[in-house]
Amino acid sequence: MMKRVLIVVLALLLIIAGGLAGNAFRNERMLAAGASYRFSATVNPVAAPAGGSSPSASTGAGNSATIDVSYEAVIAHVDKSTVAQVTNQTTGQGWQAHIARSSGSGYTLTAPDMPSFTIKQSANPFGSASLSTSADEITTKDKSLQAQQPATSAPSAPASPSQGPTAAPSPSSVARTQILSASPLIGAGEVDPSVTMRTEYLSSAGLINCTARGPILEPVSCWPLSTGADVCWLEPPTGSSTVNILCAERGVRTFVRFVNATVATGGSAPSAETVWIETEDGSQFRSRTHGALDSSSDGYAIAFDCSAGPCRQDTSNVLWSPDDPSTPIDKGQGTWRVLVGTYTPQTPAAMHGEAVTKAWVTSGA
């Protein structure tokens, strides 16, 4: 009788041990490099939680104010740490999230001022882990979705001179500005095969110096700006002895790979910014972040240089007055607006308002 009891107890212990080992194996697979998880929902980007209630992220069609949004989280191993590269596939915005063990069989993905997600193991031992979050997290923290909201037909108040680009409105058929990622990196840090890339070998180490905070999908701060390395990303190490940086050039989604740059760790991340824009007439412009320019007699200077399209024929650029309290791009509505025109130092600027159809932004812009 005692022998039979021992056999039963031993069998139970083996089952428990097998279950624990299986869970450990499944948890390890959840954080394997390259593991990918996706989450989709329909949300209202302008809805604010009231009275402590949290709207649920539905998967069905909603009212005209709702939009469909999808996220992808890819596990990556960076500097001996395991992180998640999260991408909003609707807007193209990407960021790096910290991974922490959550209660139960799962992990939480968190980043400052961005939606938090949970990777949770399926109750089915043969099922796959899934990514989830709440509509509250999305609508209150993902600011990039606000620009995806369709413009309403409600009349707007007359613009005042302090409103920047809205001071010279023009009719537009653009429903909303499409926000896209300016980064040349995708997934766990691979170079996007769709971008245009050329390589430039620096004559000596240290010609371009960069400070990287660590996340591979975030831009790095580089100098001197005269080299054109004002908006750059650190290329993931390939095993070579040199460090490469990928910097945005004049044309949309075109980059130069600087080989043998000097990169230091630490420091703060550069400010988020809009790198390229395309206006409704098809003109494309690149942000101008260095180099002194003469301004017009009424104080306007170039904020974005023309890079392609009709602006090449009429030599127009995106203009902005440093005395204007607003930014060069009016982002107050779902449709962004800019002032486009020409000038000479001796005359007032001749300009008009243009709607922005597409904008390529760095993380967090």
Side-chain angles (χ1 to χ4, degrees):
M1 179 66 179
M2 183 62 67
K3 184 177 180 180
R4 186 174 299 173
V5 172
L6 289 174
I7 292 175
V8 172
V9 172
L10 181 60
L12 290 174
L13 290 175
L14 289 173
I15 292 173
I16 294 173
L20 293 175
N23 285 335
F25 175 73
R26 294 171 70 200
N27 287 338
E28 184 178 352
R29 287 184 57 193
M30 287 172 65
L31 299 185
S36 175
Y37 305 93
R38 297 193 178 194
F39 174 79
S40 299
T42 299
V43 298
N44 183 346
V46 297
S53 61
S54 300
S56 61
S58 64
T59 56
N63 56 47
S64 59
T66 62
I67 63 172
D68 295 326
V69 59
S70 298
Y71 296 89
E72 181 182 30
V74 179
I75 305 301
H77 297 167
V78 180
D79 295 332
K80 299 182 180 180
S81 299
T82 302
V83 298
Q85 305 296 343
V86 183
T87 303
N88 181 328
Q89 296 184 316
T90 301
T91 66
Q93 184 183 34
W95 65 92
Q96 181 172 288
H98 171 72
I99 298 178
R101 190 65 184 266
S102 65
S103 58
S105 56
Y107 298 89
T108 56
L109 314 181
T110 57
D113 303 319
M114 300 305 294
S116 297
F117 292 86
T118 299
I119 301 176
K120 191 172 183 180
Q121 197 63 265
S122 171
N124 183 348
F126 301 102
S128 301
S130 60
L131 183 70
S132 64
T133 189
S134 67
D136 191 349
E137 281 290 301
I138 296 174
T139 57
T140 59
K141 295 183 179 179
D142 194 338
K143 305 303 182 185
S144 69
L145 288 179
Q146 295 177 1
Q148 298 293 312
Q149 185 66 20
T152 64
S153 58
S156 57
S160 65
S162 64
Q163 289 178 302
T166 56
S170 62
S172 172
S173 60
V174 180
R176 65 190 184 199
T177 300
Q178 183 180 6
I179 310 301
L180 304 167
S181 174
S183 174
L185 303 176
I186 57 175
E190 301 87 1
V191 176
D192 187 342
S194 67
V195 304
T196 301
M197 185 80 66
R198 69 179 180 88
T199 299
E200 183 171 325
Y201 293 89
L202 302 179
S203 58
S204 62
L207 179 59
I208 295 179
N209 298 275
C210 302
T211 301
R213 190 174 65 170
I216 56 179
L217 291 186
E218 290 189 3
V220 296
S221 298
C222 297
W223 68 94
L225 297 180
S226 58
T227 61
D230 58 325
V231 183
C232 303
W233 287 260
L234 179 63
E235 186 172 22
T238 58
S240 64
S241 59
T242 61
V243 177
N244 304 336
I245 57 172
L246 311 175
C247 300
E249 293 207 276
R250 194 180 185 93
V252 171
R253 301 294 287 160
T254 62
F255 298 85
V256 54
R257 175 186 284 111
F258 287 110
V259 179
N260 202 24
T262 299
V263 178
T265 58
S268 58
S271 301
E273 63 179 291
T274 303
V275 182
W276 300 283
I277 61 172
E278 181 176 297
T279 53
E280 55 189 320
D281 70 345
S283 294
Q284 296 178 339
F285 303 87
R286 165 71 158 84
S287 62
R288 185 181 185 89
T289 57
H290 68 280
L293 284 175
D294 292 331
S295 59
S296 64
S297 61
D298 53 351
Y300 282 87
I302 297 175
F304 284 75
D305 289 299
C306 171
S307 61
C311 61
R312 296 287 293 274
Q313 282 72 50
D314 58 21
T315 66
S316 60
N317 298 288
V318 172
L319 307 181
W320 174 63
S321 172
D323 296 330
D324 197 315
S326 65
T327 60
I329 303 177
D330 176 14
K331 304 177 182 178
Q333 302 294 328
T335 303
W336 293 5
R337 297 191 65 83
V338 293
L339 289 174
V340 176
T342 60
Y343 70 89
T344 65
Q346 295 78 30
T347 62
M351 53 192 175
H352 63 279
E354 284 273 354
V356 177
T357 56
K358 297 178 182 178
W360 289 262
V361 302
T362 60
S363 179

